[in-house]
Amino acid sequence: MPRLESLTVLGLVAAGLVGCNPPADPPADPATPATVDAEPSAGPSQPSAYEARTLGISLALPADRSVGECTGDWQSDRPCLTVLGPVQGQQVVLFSLQAYEGALEAVARDQAGFEPGPDGRWMTTFGRFQPNEVERITGPGWTGMRATTTCGISDAETGFHAAGGECLSQVVSNGEQSILVQTDGRHGLDDDTAAILSSIRFMAVP
């Protein structure tokens, strides 16, 4: 075979072999990051239900809240418990819960000092300075009333301050049983406490 024809045949054969091979994958773009499935992140812990059988209620408590007895300034002759939470690295009482028999307005009058005025609005009678209007609230299976008042607080270093605090008084009722909520003027006005109080449910009487 002449030399020119041999070169032509070899060239065609080489071209055909190259055409039969699949194209190579393009090189990875170093600017494009590899995709990796992310691990599911753990969200904040959900509150757990706590049953306060002596009070006849349940409520949702975050993991950093705990329940204690009513002692010292919180002592009561009624079924009572306190809810504690962290404040500046220490567990302190945030509020107390006391159980009473009776409908909402009767317990609100007797225990929280709420009274209706001439215009029909309910106002506070406890606390210092001018009365504050009482707010009507609702929750799962109950109605309620709440208000804040200026109140006295004690400090270990500076003594007693007659108007140094802001106290919450709240009553919730299912019509037959009522719960009185009280704070000490220092704590218990935060969003977490509000969420706990809104989660109160009256337990069915066996």
Side-chain angles (χ1 to χ4, degrees):
M1 181 183 294
R3 179 177 179 78
L4 179 58
E5 293 179 0
S6 299
L7 292 174
T8 301
V9 171
L10 290 174
L12 291 173
V13 171
L17 290 175
V18 172
C20 292
N21 291 332
D25 292 334
D29 184 357
T32 303
T35 301
V36 179
D37 291 336
E39 292 288 336
S41 58
S45 60
Q46 294 297 317
S48 58
Y50 176 84
E51 292 187 350
R53 294 187 177 274
T54 56
L55 277 65
I57 61 170
S58 67
L59 63 165
L61 289 181
D64 61 352
R65 301 295 192 270
S66 59
V67 173
E69 297 180 353
C70 293
T71 60
D73 292 340
W74 300 97
Q75 192 165 357
S76 172
D77 59 357
R78 301 296 307 171
C80 180
L81 62 80
T82 56
V83 173
L84 297 82
V87 175
Q88 296 181 347
Q90 295 183 339
Q91 287 286 315
V92 302
V93 174
L94 301 177
F95 60 90
S96 68
L97 299 157
Q98 299 177 56
Y100 291 88
E101 295 180 0
L104 173 63
E105 292 184 356
V107 175
R109 267 181 144 157
D110 295 342
Q111 306 302 326
F114 298 164
E115 291 285 350
D119 58 357
R121 293 187 304 160
W122 284 70
M123 307 294 289
T124 59
T125 61
F126 296 170
R128 298 179 64 84
F129 307 123
Q130 294 297 319
N132 293 333
E133 186 170 359
V134 176
E135 178 185 6
R136 295 276 186 170
I137 57 175
T138 59
W142 53 259
T143 57
M145 305 170 75
R146 69 182 175 195
T148 57
T149 57
T150 301
C151 57
I153 59 173
S154 295
D155 185 271
E157 297 181 354
T158 60
F160 179 74
H161 302 272
E166 185 177 10
C167 289
L168 169 71
S169 293
Q170 176 172 317
V171 180
V172 301
S173 178
N174 65 358
E176 298 179 354
Q177 304 291 324
S178 296
I179 299 295
L180 171 66
V181 180
Q182 292 182 308
T183 66
D184 67 350
R186 293 177 176 273
H187 315 296
L189 299 179
D190 55 285
D191 291 341
D192 288 341
T193 294
I196 294 172
L197 297 180
S198 67
S199 74
I200 291 176
R201 293 176 180 270
F202 286 87
M203 300 168 60
V205 178

